[in-house]
Every structure is written in structure tokens, then in C-alpha cells.
Amino acid sequence: MDGKGATADPQLQQFIEVESQKQRFQQLVHQMTEVCWEKCMDKPGPKLDSRTEACFVNCVERFIDTSQFILNRLEQTQRSRGAFSETMYE
């Protein structure tokens, strides 16, 4: 060890963050695909009928909207907790 302790190479930290984001995105896509497939796909065939296609589009849009809502709510909660803890120490 060179005595730096917890400080790591910034490029390595950036690489790890990017790879973590890729993994989270892939997990989200997999989850969305699974949910929408179960909800919309009655019988697989050579092509999608208009009802099934509309169901997939709606399902994906709702999944994205819901995910965004949850993320925004978590951010708000975290910010309000941060403000609350700051006032406790004043």
C-alpha cells in the first residue's frame, strides 16, 4: 500500500461508477421486459397485433413513469432528511 488509504484512482472510480450504471440499466430493462411480457403477450406469433403492440407501449411508458416517480420521491425524502439533520445540529 502507498498509504493513501480510502482515496482511489479517480479514473478507476469513474470506470466503476459507469459500469455500475450500466448494470443498473440492464437490470431495469430486464425487469421491464419481464413485467410487460407477462402482462401483454397472450400467445407468441410471427408478428404483434395492434392490441399487443399498444399494450407493450403503454406498459413501457407506465414502467418508466413509475420508476421516475419513485426516484424523484426518494431524492425528495433524502433532501428533507438532510435538511432535518442539519437543523438538529445547529
Side-chain angles (χ1 to χ4, degrees):
M1 296 293 292
D2 58 5
K4 289 185 180 178
T7 58
D9 179 17
Q11 286 182 319
L12 178 59
Q13 288 178 336
Q14 178 69 22
F15 175 78
I16 291 171
E17 180 61 30
V18 168
E19 291 302 311
S20 294
Q21 287 176 353
K22 286 180 187 178
Q23 181 183 18
R24 286 190 299 268
F25 180 75
Q26 288 173 342
Q27 288 172 336
L28 188 62
V29 168
H30 177 73
Q31 183 182 10
M32 180 182 60
T33 302
E34 188 175 321
V35 167
C36 293
W37 183 269
E38 289 297 319
K39 179 175 176 35
C40 298
M41 195 54 141
D42 294 330
K43 49 188 181 305
K47 63 184 213 175
L48 296 177
D49 60 23
S50 60
R51 184 184 67 78
T52 304
E53 185 176 353
C55 180
F56 274 115
V57 168
N58 187 48
C59 182
V60 168
E61 288 175 353
R62 297 299 70 80
F63 192 93
I64 291 170
D65 290 345
T66 302
S67 297
Q68 189 63 47
F69 175 80
I70 291 169
L71 285 173
N72 289 341
R73 194 70 167 160
L74 289 171
E75 286 176 2
Q76 287 175 350
T77 303
Q78 192 142 15
R79 274 184 280 185
S80 67
R81 284 186 181 165
F84 178 72
S85 63
E86 287 176 8
T87 57
M88 288 182 61
Y89 293 112
E90 290 180 351

